[in-house]
Amino acid sequence: MPSPQPICNLSDDALDWQVLLHSGHASPADRERYQRWCQLSPAHAEAGREAEGLWEEIGHAPISQGQATVPEPRSKRRWAMSIAASLVLLIVGYSGWQQMPVWLADYRTAIGEQQRVTLADGSQVTLNSASALSVAFSARERRVRLQAGEA
């Protein structure tokens, strides 16, 4: 723990205090001791201000109201996880969009399954494995569309 030293080491001590206060392990007693250290002399106070300024310049939060605050780091891992999640959603969404006609088909078979289907007009269709068929009958036409697989 930093302690009063000769003036030539005040800068080093002030930096040691900044490291401790921003480490996340500083206790209220540590913060009080830092405030008392800064009040030992004008040189101590100046060294403390310089160290706080240096800490701010290197991108750390200043000590406010005697409380050390540590900024939340911008984690590269969090960024990478966000990109990975976005890619997964994009792939799943694209796949779902591509498979939509199969899911909405009137008749479908699973992998390894075959099925004979009798349509509303009496005609029959045999669906092979992993196939999908959409049917639309009207008074004027009979529309049968193979969405996937073989029929």
Side-chain angles (χ1 to χ4, degrees), residues 7 19 37 49 51 62 72 84-85 90 101-102 109 115 117 121-122 125 127 130 140 145:
I7 293 177
V19 170
W37 181 86
R49 282 191 299 276
E72 193 172 311
L90 180 68
V102 173
T109 56
Q115 182 180 11
V117 177
D121 68 348
V125 177
L127 292 177
R140 295 178 34 148
R145 183 172 189 165

Side-chain angles (χ1 to χ4, degrees), residues 49-102:
R49 282 191 299 276
E50 286 177 8
E52 287 176 19
L54 179 60
W55 196 265
E56 287 179 49
E57 284 179 28
I58 62 171
H60 297 285
I63 296 175
S64 59
Q65 300 174 358
Q67 297 290 322
T69 57
V70 179
E72 193 172 311
R74 293 183 182 180
S75 170
K76 288 182 181 179
R77 183 174 182 184
R78 181 180 291 169
W79 178 253
M81 293 297 285
S82 297
I83 289 174
S86 297
L87 287 174
V88 167
L89 287 174
L90 180 68
I91 290 168
V92 168
Y94 181 75
S95 257
W97 178 73
Q98 291 291 319
Q99 293 297 316
M100 184 76 75
V102 173

Side-chain angles (χ1 to χ4, degrees), residues 12-52:
D12 291 341
D13 286 348
L15 290 172
D16 288 344
W17 276 112
Q18 293 304 306
V19 170
L20 172 66
L21 294 173
H22 291 88
S23 69
H25 300 291
S27 67
D30 291 328
R31 291 182 188 91
E32 283 181 36
R33 282 200 323 280
Y34 172 68
Q35 294 301 321
R36 285 195 306 267
W37 181 86
C38 286
Q39 293 170 355
L40 288 174
S41 72
H44 283 80
E46 179 62 26
R49 282 191 299 276
E50 286 177 8
E52 287 176 19

